[in-house]
C-alpha cells in the first residue's frame, strides 16, 4: 500500500518543507514496509521544459491519487500563476498555493481524498523584514503577507474567528509540536 503525501507551500518555508520530508521519512522507518509513505514536493518532481512550473506540478498531483495534502504557510502566499489558471467563474488564483489548495479541496469534496492538513509557522514575521533594505521589496512582502493572512482567514477560521481544525503547527524551533494546549 502506498500513501502519497503532497506538500504545498510558498518559498518562505523551505526549511519547514525539509522538516516535513524528514518527519515522513521518520514515520516510514517506524511503520516499516507494510505501507510506503511517498512525499511529493515540487523540488523533487521531474518538471518538463515544455510546461509551465504549475502545469508540471499538475501532471503529477492532479491524478486523483493524492492521499494527504499538506499546506505550510507563514509570511507569504506565493507567486501569481498568470492568466492560464482561472477558476470556473473566470477569477484568477492569487498564487500556486491557493490553486493547489482549491484543487485538493475540490477533490476531497468529490472523492473524500485527500485529507487536507494546514500548518502555519508561528515564528514572528518581523524576522523577514529585518533583512529588507529597499522600499519595493518591503511593499511586495507587505502585500504577500496581507494575501496569506486573508487566505488563512478565509479558509481556516470560522465566523467566530476560531481555528476550525486542530492539528500541528511548525514552531520557530524547527520541530513539529502539538497545537492543542
Amino acid at each position: 500500500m502506498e500513501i502519497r503525501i503532497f506538500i504545498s507551500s510558498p518559498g518562505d518555508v523551505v526549511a519547514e518543507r525539509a522538516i516535513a520530508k524528514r518527519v515522513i521519512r521518520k514515520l516510514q522507518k517506524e511503520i516499516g514496509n507494510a505501507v510506503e509513505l511517498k512525499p511529493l514536493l515540487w523540488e523533487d518532481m521531474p518538471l518538463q521544459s515544455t510546461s509551465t512550473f504549475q502545469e508540471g506540478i499538475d501532471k503529477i498531483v492532479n491524478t486523483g491519487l493524492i492521499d494527504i495534502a499538506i499546506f505550510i504557510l507563514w509570511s507569504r502566499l506565493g507567486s501569481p500563476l498568470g492568466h492560464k489558471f482561472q477558476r470556473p467563474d473566470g477569477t484568477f488564483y492569487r498564487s500556486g498555493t491557493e490553486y493547489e489548495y482549491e484543487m485538493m479541496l475540490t477533490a476531497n469534496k468529490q472523492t473524500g481524498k485527500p485529507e487536507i492538513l494546514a500548518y502555519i509557522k508561528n515564528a514572528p514575521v518581523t524576522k523577514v523584514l529585518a533583512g529588507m533594505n529597499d522600499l519595493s521589496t518591503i511593499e511586495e512582502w507587505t502585500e504577500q503577507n496581507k494575501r496569506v493572512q486573508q487566505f488563512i482567514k478565509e479558509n481556516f477560521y470560522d465566523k467566530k474567528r476560531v481555528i476550525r481544525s486542530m492539528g500541528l503547527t511548525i514552531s520557530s524551533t524547527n520541530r513539529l509540536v502539538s497545537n492543542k494546549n
Side-chain angles (χ1 to χ4, degrees), residues 26-181:
K26 183 178 177 185
L27 286 172
Q28 182 68 67
K29 287 179 184 177
E30 290 178 16
I31 63 172
N33 294 329
V35 175
E36 180 186 357
L37 302 177
K38 185 173 184 179
L40 298 170
L41 293 85
W42 63 261
E43 58 267 30
D44 297 337
M45 295 178 186
L47 303 177
Q48 300 174 350
S49 61
T50 56
S51 303
T52 68
F53 190 68
Q54 192 64 52
E55 288 170 334
I57 294 170
D58 286 0
K59 287 178 183 174
I60 295 167
V61 301
N62 200 11
T63 62
L65 299 175
I66 302 300
D67 299 293
I68 301 170
I70 299 173
F71 293 86
I72 304 173
L73 301 165
W74 183 36
S75 69
R76 56 189 312 267
L77 189 55
S79 302
L81 295 176
H83 297 305
K84 273 189 167 182
F85 293 88
Q86 294 181 23
R87 291 181 180 91
D89 68 3
T91 59
F92 296 103
Y93 296 95
R94 291 174 283 195
S95 73
T97 305
E98 180 177 57
Y99 169 76
E100 292 161 359
Y101 177 77
E102 290 187 20
M103 179 173 55
M104 295 296 152
L105 192 60
T106 299
N108 177 278
K109 288 177 182 176
Q110 293 172 348
T111 68
K113 284 180 24 177
E115 291 294 325
I116 300 172
L117 304 172
Y119 298 87
I120 301 167
K121 182 175 176 175
N122 63 5
V125 295
T126 52
K127 291 180 179 183
V128 176
L129 288 171
M132 295 183 189
N133 297 322
D134 66 271
L135 184 59
S136 65
T137 303
I138 293 169
E139 288 172 343
E140 179 185 341
W141 178 84
T142 301
E143 184 57 36
Q144 277 286 333
N145 193 254
K146 286 178 187 175
R147 286 184 196 150
V148 75
Q149 294 306 319
Q150 185 64 34
F151 178 79
I152 291 167
K153 180 181 172 185
E154 291 168 1
N155 292 288
F156 306 117
Y157 284 87
D158 67 15
K159 292 177 183 162
K160 296 176 185 174
R161 300 248 333 128
V162 175
I163 294 178
R164 276 189 253 177
S165 61
M166 299 301 279
L168 298 175
T169 184
I170 296 174
S171 78
S172 57
T173 57
N174 289 335
R175 56 192 169 95
L176 292 175
V177 297
S178 175
N179 193 14
K180 297 176 182 175
N181 292 327

Side-chain angles (χ1 to χ4, degrees), residues 7 9 13-25 41 43 72 170:
I7 301 172
S9 71
V13 287
V14 173
E16 289 74 19
R17 292 172 65 79
I19 291 167
K21 192 173 179 179
R22 283 196 310 269
V23 168
I24 292 167
R25 284 187 185 144
L41 293 85
E43 58 267 30
I72 304 173
I170 296 174

